[in-house]
Amino acid sequence: MSTLVLNLDDRLKLRLDALAARNRKPLPDWATEQLSRLAANADESPAAAYSPDWMAAFGSISDPSFDAPARSFPLPVEPLDAAL
């Protein structure tokens, strides 16, 4: 099992805690689901893998010579150990 360590600032931690609580899940379980969903959707289309804000800023390049860089697919994410 691999471990992913994220250092969150206080504001982001509060926001993520609130999102997890809305789904009645501990933050590690909720984060695992979200990362797994992003990984599963990564091969569908860029719009499914990136936020609308990111797509508005970077996903609308109209230069016909632009080639999007290849994206490697992330490995599946295991549930985080909340006891650590």
Side-chain angles (χ1 to χ4, degrees), residues 35-83:
L35 289 171
S36 297
R37 181 186 54 80
L38 285 172
N41 291 338
D43 59 346
E44 290 180 7
S45 73
Y50 292 104
S51 72
D53 291 336
W54 189 96
M55 289 300 293
F58 304 106
S60 59
I61 297 172
S62 61
D63 181 354
S65 67
F66 176 78
D67 288 322
R71 292 182 57 195
S72 60
F73 296 110
L75 299 174
V77 176
E78 295 294 325
L80 302 173
D81 185 356

